[in-house]
């Protein structure tokens, strides 16, 4: 695992020692809820402006009753062509996708859409900060996997290799995110640390 | 009006002299379609990655027929709390809202949601590039109105002043965008020019 070593991390580690008891990982939130909680916190504190994009919907029929709100009566879910979350932090464009698995030994790539990965590549080439948040739900472990570190594993799959990333590969190529009290998934410090390491 | 004066503009002006005949302004596209056309062009050319966000929907009922796609049978439109478009260009976070009016003498502020303006302020404070694209549909004129130049007019309204921005105020405080052949609304050069002028 690539251990954090900056100023930010020390702060995290201290926090972790104090609060990362199993109880905190168990408020029963989904990964999406955990991220939305962090985003609301960032918005309130003016730390960042990051939102989940609405689910894309193909609207087929809308009913307009007099004197009341338009009602959509037929619509279908569309496959997303971009990532779930984006926004801005400190002048940097942030773009990421959240995925969870119940698997304990590897992260399957099957539920990642090729269109999403293409989108992430495009944003990375425009110098955005692009990553996945992977959650191993059964293990209660979370990782920020930056696109440039993720891409070789995706390419390996496209070239006929394994269709997942083993837990130890995840540990060695991404940043583990420790659960805190509030927000549970305080992921901005990891981005800051990543940017600092990149600059060196 | 703040006339463009950089390298980029000369290119635009040449183009404009050659092609900005009234016919080009009349392919009958809505402002949203014109922006989407530009965004597709930017995506294909790898110039920028800018998408329209899906319309936010409150889903109430979904029907899951066996062997076919889930069908949403009851849903409602939600008021957007952010802007319509965002993305990245050359490392910069881009965030904007598109509005059109049939009015010929001023741009009404009534159909701009306070939540959207608050969102724009937040993004501007994180050093995003934030603006409106205003279309005077009847006049076939388009303006990029950057948030920092727009904000005083919004404040004027909040303080009891006029609920619109006059055409000449728009001309004097924003950047006029000339229609080209394809994409009709090639707005990136205006952003580049704005950034160059800001640096000076």
């Amino acid at each position: 695992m690539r251990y954090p070593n900056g100023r930010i991390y020390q702060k995290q580690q201290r926090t972790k020692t104090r609060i990362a008891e199993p109880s905190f990982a168990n408020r029963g939130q989904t990964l999406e809820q955990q991220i939305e909680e962090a985003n609301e916190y960032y918005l309130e504190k003016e730390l960042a402006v990051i939102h989940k994009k609405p689910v894309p919907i193909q609207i087929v029929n809308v009913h307009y009753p007099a004197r009341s709100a338009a009602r959509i009566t037929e619509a279908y879910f569309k496959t997303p062509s971009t990532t779930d979350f984006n926004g801005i932090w400190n002048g940097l464009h942030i773009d990421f996708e959240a995925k969870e698995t119940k698997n304990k030994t590897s992260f399957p790539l099957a539920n990642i859409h090729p269109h999403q990965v293409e989108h992430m590549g495009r944003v990375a080439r425009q110098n955005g900060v692009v990553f996945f948040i992977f959650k191993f739900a059964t293990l209660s472990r979370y990782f920020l996997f930056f696109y440039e570190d993720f891409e070789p594993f995706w390419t390996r799959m496209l070239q006929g290799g394994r269709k997942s990333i083993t837990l130890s590969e995840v540990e060695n190529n991404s940043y583990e995110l420790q659960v805190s009290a509030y927000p549970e998934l305080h992921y901005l410090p990891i981005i800051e640390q990543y940017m600092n390491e990149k600059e060196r």
Side-chain angles (χ1 to χ4, degrees), chain A:
Chain A
M1 195 189 134
R2 194 195 302 173
Y3 276 97
N5 49 21
R7 165 173 61 86
I8 294 304
Y9 174 65
Q10 288 166 6
K11 205 163 124 204
Q12 274 214 317
Q13 203 176 39
R14 246 186 293 129
T15 311
K16 175 187 156 194
T17 321
R18 187 162 44 85
I19 62 163
E21 302 299 320
S23 60
F24 282 109
N26 259 319
R27 273 167 47 201
Q29 296 194 102
T30 64
L31 178 57
E32 190 176 305
Q33 288 167 334
Q34 291 172 309
I35 294 169
E36 299 246 53
E37 176 187 82
N39 291 347
E40 278 168 36
Y41 176 83
Y42 298 152
L43 206 62
E44 277 167 29
K45 300 281 183 191
E46 290 250 342
L47 293 172
V49 185
I50 297 165
H51 287 282
K52 183 176 189 300
K53 283 182 222 164
V55 179
I57 303 277
Q58 177 74 46
I59 297 171
V60 178
N61 264 311
V62 184
H63 180 57
Y64 297 94
R67 288 162 214 266
S68 57
R71 190 171 119 197
I72 299 161
T73 56
E74 186 181 359
Y76 299 90
F77 296 100
K78 290 200 288 189
T79 308
S81 56
T82 65
T83 42
D84 277 354
F85 297 91
N86 81 0
I88 184 169
W89 165 66
N90 200 17
L92 295 170
H93 180 82
I94 306 295
D95 196 304
F96 65 98
E97 181 69 24
K99 294 284 182 197
E100 54 187 304
T101 184
K102 286 177 180 166
N103 202 307
K104 293 175 197 175
T105 55
S106 68
F107 208 95
L109 297 173
N111 62 345
I112 298 173
H113 301 294
H115 282 314
Q116 291 182 318
V117 180
E118 283 163 31
H119 167 80
M120 295 173 94
R122 282 193 199 101
V123 176
R125 289 191 292 278
Q126 292 286 334
N127 292 317
V129 178
V130 188
F131 55 91
F132 287 94
I133 297 183
F134 281 167
K135 174 178 182 176
F136 285 90
T138 317
L139 308 175
S140 291
R141 291 182 71 183
Y142 303 83
F143 297 88
L144 257 74
F145 211 138
F146 288 90
Y147 176 78
E148 61 178 14
D149 301 322
F150 166 84
E151 195 274 330
F153 296 100
W154 185 258
T155 301
R156 177 176 74 180
M157 180 189 70
L158 294 182
Q159 290 172 350
R162 58 180 300 151
K163 294 183 174 58
S164 64
I165 307 178
T166 67
L167 176 59
S168 75
E169 286 169 340
V170 172
E171 289 171 336
N172 288 323
N173 293 278
S174 70
Y175 292 71
E176 186 157 7
L177 176 55
Q178 305 296 341
V179 171
S180 359
Y182 179 81
E184 280 188 10
L185 289 192
H186 189 17
Y187 61 87
L188 280 186
I190 304 274
I191 300 177
E192 189 164 0
Q193 179 196 332
Y194 169 77
M195 295 306 294
N196 288 341
E197 288 181 9
K198 234 182 143 180
E199 271 170 27
R200 258 180 250 140

